[in-house]
Amino acid sequence: MHVTLALPRELGEPEVCRWRALQEADTAFDNPFLSPEFTLTVGELRDVVRVAVIHDGPEIVGFFPFERHPLGIGKPVAAGLTDAQGLVHAKDARIHPQWLLKQCGLAVYEFDHLVSGQPLLGARHERYPSPIIDLRDGWDNYTESLRRHSGKTYKSTLAKSRKLQREAGPLRHDYATTEVEPLRTLLGWKTDQYRRTGRADRFAHPWIVELVERLLATQSDSFAGVLDMVYVDGSPVAGHFGLRTRTTLAGWFPAYDTRFAKYSPGLIHHLAMAEQAAKSGIEVIDMGRGQKEYKDKLKNGELEVAEGRVARLGPAAGVHWVMRVPVRKTRATVMANPLLLKTADKTLKTYGRLRTVLQR
């Protein structure tokens, strides 16, 4: 077994087709963040992206996309943005993590959304739920499960949708549009949300804006950027941009116009999106790791992702441990404690309000 390292643009059509075939052969890899198109697009914008092509004799048995940073630190492609990470490999491939890191010239590979069934996954890595909307039994069965488990939320969302239309005008839902102007409206809402809640604005980085626009323009049967928006009386109210494979839609950037907040436009939009997604052949909407109230209300299943690192012995791995692991463990402690999480969230929102005032 051996590895060939390549820039994403150096992969030929045979390699891309093999990557896609391996991905579609195992449901564990059915996430657009693991698709070759995602890595190829990020690679056009970031020169740190590499792909390890893993060979067993003449056959390609795996692809390991990663970013290579100073001191041999490896990270997932578009680290901090992706909700699914890891290798795409043949089921019977025996790939040792430390061997793979050595072949890639890495001292450490750190991750926070490693999917299940990975050679990189160890017993000591922390596991977290990734809530999903499971549509494999159809839209009617999903709404029936909502009535049973989140009946109050489902009924109140429908009632608010009717109230919104009575008070503001007729509702229109554009699913899977490729227009750029609605995308810019959505990203503006998302920027306001980041600032309002004290988070760092991802779209302050031009390459991320460019990435989203390029992904929106990428449309094929196996992979596409999916933008959908809800309008009331012709005005945009809520929307979402995500990515899909043939059967999985990955949640990514949902947002809404806060002027309509009392109507719960995010929930109205998500139900509309899920219904249209089911009609288009989507079987799973992966809402991504993270505790959010709307996810708890809408989910009817969960996947599992892991957080941690794989390292080879050496000074670079030691430096990385000192700089990263204690911080990660502290954050995990806060996320696991409802009181600490509520306090941290309140603190960030206060910071966001103060930052807004100071910037005026």
Side-chain angles (χ1 to χ4, degrees):
M1 189 173 285
H2 67 281
V3 166
T4 302
L5 287 179
L7 296 169
R9 64 176 179 270
E10 294 173 339
L11 298 178
E13 188 60 27
E15 288 85 3
V16 173
C17 288
R18 176 59 174 165
W19 185 336
R20 192 176 296 117
L22 289 173
Q23 181 187 19
E24 294 182 348
D26 192 332
T27 56
F29 306 139
D30 187 15
N31 189 291
F33 291 116
L34 298 178
S35 296
E37 291 88 347
F38 181 74
T39 293
L40 290 170
T41 306
V42 178
E44 294 171 357
L45 300 168
R46 290 175 64 77
D47 59 9
V48 295
V49 179
R50 301 289 185 274
V51 179
V53 184
I54 306 167
H55 304 257
D56 189 357
E59 184 180 17
I60 296 176
V61 296
F63 294 86
F64 177 44
F66 65 95
E67 291 185 0
R68 184 158 59 191
H69 293 269
L71 300 179
I73 306 303
K75 297 181 180 182
V77 174
L81 293 175
T82 54
D83 288 338
Q85 302 158 357
L87 293 85
V88 174
H89 60 89
K91 289 184 178 181
D92 57 352
R94 296 181 178 275
I95 303 169
H96 193 277
Q98 277 72 31
W99 172 83
L100 180 60
L101 261 61
K102 183 178 181 180
Q103 297 302 306
C104 296
L106 298 177
V108 177
Y109 177 71
E110 62 174 335
F111 50 84
D112 55 9
H113 288 80
L114 190 73
V115 300
S116 61
Q118 288 284 307
L120 298 173
L121 187 61
R124 298 178 64 181
H125 293 143
E126 299 289 336
R127 269 78 162 180
Y128 297 94
S130 185
I132 65 171
I133 296 176
D134 190 339
L135 300 167
R136 282 171 285 199
D137 292 330
W139 171 251
D140 291 339
N141 282 323
Y142 169 66
T143 54
E144 182 58 34
S145 72
L146 278 186
R147 290 188 181 96
R148 289 196 306 268
H149 302 295
S150 300
K152 183 177 179 181
T153 296
Y154 183 63
K155 291 178 182 178
S156 66
T157 301
L158 295 181
K160 288 179 179 180
S161 178
R162 292 190 293 268
K163 183 179 180 182
L164 173 61
Q165 294 179 72
R166 285 196 306 270
E167 297 180 354
L171 185 147
R172 184 180 95 246
H173 180 216
D174 285 352
Y175 178 76
T177 177
T178 56
E179 297 180 16
V180 176
E181 193 58 37
L183 176 66
R184 290 171 180 163
T185 297
L186 176 68
L187 299 190
W189 291 339
K190 200 66 183 177
T191 288
D192 289 342
Q193 178 188 339
Y194 287 140
R195 293 172 179 172
R196 188 171 63 250
T197 57
R199 272 71 174 181
D201 179 13
R202 290 173 174 173
F203 300 113
H205 301 281
W207 78 267
I208 296 180
V209 176
E210 178 69 16
L211 172 64
V212 170
E213 291 180 352
R214 292 191 185 194
L215 290 170
L216 176 63
T218 304
Q219 301 289 319
S220 71
D221 291 340
S222 59
F223 179 93
V226 181
L227 172 66
D228 59 286
M229 302 285 289
V230 167
Y231 297 83
V232 171
D233 197 27
S235 297
V237 170
H240 169 265
F241 179 75
L243 305 173
R244 67 154 178 84
T245 62
R246 298 180 194 275
T247 54
T248 293
L249 173 61
W252 208 6
F253 298 118
Y256 60 84
D257 187 334
T258 55
R259 293 177 298 174
F260 297 91
K262 67 178 182 179
Y263 300 105
S264 299
L267 287 173
I268 292 172
H269 167 265
H270 265 76
L271 285 179
M273 179 180 73
E275 183 176 12
Q276 292 302 314
K279 291 179 180 178
S280 72
I282 293 297
E283 298 177 356
V284 171
I285 299 177
D286 187 345
M287 294 184 284
R289 169 189 168 186
Q291 293 177 309
K292 298 289 184 181
E293 186 177 3
Y294 79 91
K295 296 181 183 181
D296 289 336
K297 290 178 177 179
L298 295 175
K299 72 177 183 180
N300 63 335
E302 290 179 343
L303 302 176
E304 185 180 78
V305 295
E307 180 174 342
R309 70 176 202 153
V310 178
R312 297 163 55 209
L313 290 177
V319 171
H320 179 268
W321 191 97
V322 170
M323 294 178 64
R324 297 287 295 170
V325 174
V327 174
R328 190 176 69 237
K329 289 183 178 296
T330 300
R331 181 169 59 83
T333 299
V334 172
M335 297 296 290
N337 186 304
L339 180 59
L340 291 176
L341 180 59
K342 184 177 180 180
T343 301
D345 187 59
K346 185 177 180 180
T347 300
L348 284 171
K349 288 178 179 177
T350 300
Y351 166 71
R353 287 194 296 270
L354 291 173
R355 181 171 61 181
T356 300
V357 171
L358 291 173
Q359 289 176 344
R360 288 176 181 171

